[in-house]
Amino acid sequence: MSEIAVQVDHVWKRFHKGEFHDSLRDAIPAFFKSLVGKTNQQDLGKGDFWALKDISFEVKKGESFGIIGHNGAGKSTLLKLLSRIIRPNRGNIRMEGRLGTLIEIGAGFHGDLTGRENIYLNGTILGMKKAEIDRKFDEIVDFSGIEDFLDTPVKRYSSGMHARLGFAVAAHLEPDILIVDEVLSVGDTAFQKKCLGKMNEVTREGRTVLFVSHNMGAVKNLCQRAILLQKGEKKGDGRADEVIHGYLQSVGNPSTDLTSRKSYDGSGEVRFTKFLLRGLQTRTNIVGLGEGVRIELHFHVNKPVEDFELYISVWDENDINILQFNSRDVPQPIKRLDRDGCFCFETQMLPLAPRNYRISALIMDGRGAIDRVLHIDDLTVEGKRFGKNVLLRAPYSPRCLTDFSFHVTEATE
């Protein structure tokens, strides 16, 4: 029996920009055109482009495999091909075993049906038999954590409850190959940890996981191997940590847009708009042991505030706050904000052990939170030992870091 669970062999996929067929007259010529082989850029028709170009890789049974790359790199196209939603123009994809996909959590839910009814509906859509759903029903409900609202129509669920139930159903498919796309981008921190734990459990049981995410810390923790896609081409293939490191070093660390948040926390006189974290040496969010970082946190002032405090917090993988930057811990703290600008922090050394961390930000005054963002970005510390004169305090104890600079500048694009 073959040890290969997934084999992608010289796969090409072509799309047409703005393609839309509203009549049989348009659709038939487009169908025959799609059968014509075109495997180089010069042969592309007007408006055509290659979403994937000559992609090949193998995934062994029981292996966790990551697929990374920036937006538009071809990750979603590859997942649709692997899920058999679409077919390649060239090349072959072979998979051995039952396939399960977590590409769109909760797809197929009906808003007027209760959570209980949607478990059966969604489970059936995903390929589960009624007897299988009956056997796993209590386990699904317990995993979702929404037992108190099981007989409530899902149209009254929050987005987090909807995501919890959708993942709970999909996670109990017990497939041989599980394809996961950005499930860790939804829900709260506890839910995300539960998702990651479930996927780790799947791999320990000897099943195969293909994981796509922009969360490099999650990919590094979950996956043994990874590939890097860039403009439809495979640019890296190897150990997950090595591929991630090469990717971040090549593209730098782009800023995180905070203006598209679906929900806000705090009174709102000041709102965070953009966040950027970079190592002083690496220029990415992967830094060496004992190295320093620079943090830029842009903000918009809706109403002037006075006597505020700003916290940049570092959390470890166990959700323990182990380090804080506080705007009060500088010789001349800023007392008033009355126009848009950017908070700038810089420290020459981070007293953090090698592992993955999450960054959060909070601005508050005497009345409470003004704006708060949890898990803005990831920070990875790499290395084996500290250099000369570097002190690591006891881990897992909240504390403030006082040897850093802090100032406010004008807002920039």
Side-chain angles (χ1 to χ4, degrees):
M1 184 178 292
S2 173
E3 294 184 356
I4 304 300
V6 179
Q7 183 172 19
V8 177
D9 187 22
H10 298 288
V11 165
W12 295 70
K13 183 59 184 178
R14 182 182 66 248
F15 289 116
H16 185 82
K17 296 178 184 177
E19 188 165 13
F20 177 75
H21 307 299
D22 58 359
S23 69
L24 188 62
R25 181 187 63 187
D26 295 331
I28 291 176
F31 171 75
F32 284 105
K33 180 181 176 181
S34 69
L35 300 178
V36 178
K38 297 178 180 180
T39 56
N40 60 69
Q41 191 69 28
Q42 290 72 27
D43 289 337
L44 289 176
K46 184 178 180 180
D48 290 345
F49 70 97
W50 289 115
L52 293 176
K53 308 173 187 176
D54 198 23
I55 303 297
S56 297
F57 61 88
E58 292 180 346
V59 184
K60 295 181 180 179
K61 293 179 179 178
E63 189 173 32
S64 297
F65 189 82
I67 303 171
I68 64 174
H70 58 76
N71 291 329
K75 303 186 300 298
S76 295
T77 299
L78 180 57
L79 288 192
K80 290 177 182 177
L81 289 168
L82 293 169
S83 303
R84 299 165 184 164
I85 297 173
I86 58 177
R87 292 185 176 185
N89 296 98
R90 280 285 187 272
N92 297 292
I93 298 176
R94 291 182 289 275
M95 289 185 285
E96 186 171 317
R98 183 184 181 185
L99 177 67
T101 61
L102 275 68
I103 293 179
E104 184 66 37
I105 293 178
F109 276 9
H110 194 294
D112 291 326
L113 299 181
T114 65
R116 183 188 305 273
E117 294 166 333
N118 270 292
I119 289 176
Y120 283 92
L121 173 63
N122 194 237
T124 302
I125 291 173
L126 293 174
M128 300 170 69
K129 303 294 185 183
K130 184 178 183 300
E132 185 179 3
I133 300 174
D134 289 337
R135 177 167 52 87
K136 299 177 182 177
F137 185 84
D138 291 340
E139 188 177 351
I140 292 171
V141 173
D142 180 64
F143 188 92
S144 70
I146 62 160
E147 56 273 10
D148 293 339
F149 304 94
L150 195 58
D151 294 308
T152 301
V154 298
K155 66 183 179 183
R156 299 196 178 100
Y157 284 11
S158 68
S159 58
M161 293 169 63
H162 193 276
R164 281 177 175 272
L165 186 60
F167 185 90
V169 176
H172 290 81
L173 276 171
E174 295 186 0
D176 300 302
I177 302 169
L178 180 62
I179 298 175
V180 184
D181 182 19
E182 287 292 5
V183 298
L184 299 183
S185 63
V186 295
D188 54 27
T189 302
F191 172 68
Q192 293 173 8
K193 285 184 64 177
K194 207 169 189 178
C195 293
L196 192 58
K198 185 64 177 179
M199 288 186 286
N200 274 311
E201 179 184 321
V202 168
T203 58
R204 287 195 300 270
E205 293 172 353
R207 288 178 274 167
T208 306
V209 173
L210 278 72
F211 181 45
V212 172
S213 179
H214 289 287
N215 185 333
M216 295 298 104
V219 175
K220 188 174 182 179
N221 285 335
L222 180 67
C223 301
Q224 301 153 347
R225 288 180 54 228
I227 61 169
L228 168 63
L229 297 181
Q230 182 177 331
K231 295 182 179 180
E233 300 182 73
K234 187 178 76 172
K235 294 296 184 179
D237 187 345
R239 280 176 38 188
D241 56 347
E242 294 177 350
V243 174
I244 291 170
H245 188 272
Y247 168 56
L248 293 177
Q249 290 286 2
S250 65
V251 303
N253 187 34
S255 60
T256 301
D257 179 21
L258 302 177
T259 60
S260 59
R261 287 177 279 168
K262 295 182 179 179
S263 61
Y264 290 86
D265 186 8
S267 56
E269 288 91 344
V270 176
R271 289 300 189 195
F272 300 134
T273 59
K274 187 168 65 173
F275 178 86
L276 178 65
L277 181 150
R278 286 183 174 177
L280 298 183
Q281 284 77 38
T282 64
R283 312 302 294 174
T284 73
N285 60 351
I286 298 180
V287 302
L289 196 60
E291 293 181 357
V293 296
R294 176 181 174 83
I295 294 173
E296 296 178 6
L297 182 57
H298 294 249
F299 61 89
H300 171 67
V301 176
N302 293 310
K303 182 180 179 181
V305 296
E306 297 183 359
D307 197 27
F308 69 92
E309 292 185 73
L310 176 70
Y311 295 89
I312 304 292
S313 303
V314 181
W315 301 74
D316 73 354
E317 295 168 327
N318 296 312
D319 291 329
I320 297 176
N321 178 204
I322 63 171
L323 186 66
Q324 283 185 341
F325 299 91
N326 187 340
S327 62
R328 292 281 185 173
D329 294 330
V330 291
Q332 296 180 333
I334 296 149
K335 295 290 187 179
R336 177 181 171 86
L337 294 178
D338 54 14
R339 56 182 174 178
D340 296 0
C342 174
F343 298 114
C344 299
F345 289 81
E346 187 171 306
T347 180
Q348 297 300 313
M349 184 276 291
L350 279 174
L352 296 175
R355 57 174 60 97
N356 297 313
Y357 300 92
R358 295 192 299 273
I359 310 297
S360 299
L362 165 68
I363 183 171
M364 62 181 297
D365 59 13
R367 297 170 297 174
I370 298 173
D371 195 13
R372 182 192 345 244
V373 184
L374 301 176
H375 194 177
I376 300 179
D377 202 354
D378 298 304
L379 169 66
T380 299
V381 179
E382 295 183 334
K384 296 182 179 179
R385 60 187 177 87
F386 280 101
K388 185 178 180 180
N389 297 328
V390 177
L391 172 66
L392 175 64
R393 302 178 186 178
Y396 308 122
S397 58
R399 57 188 181 271
C400 289
L401 185 68
T402 58
D403 57 338
F404 66 93
S405 62
F406 166 67
H407 63 279
V408 175
T409 66
E410 294 290 335
T412 58
E413 292 298 328

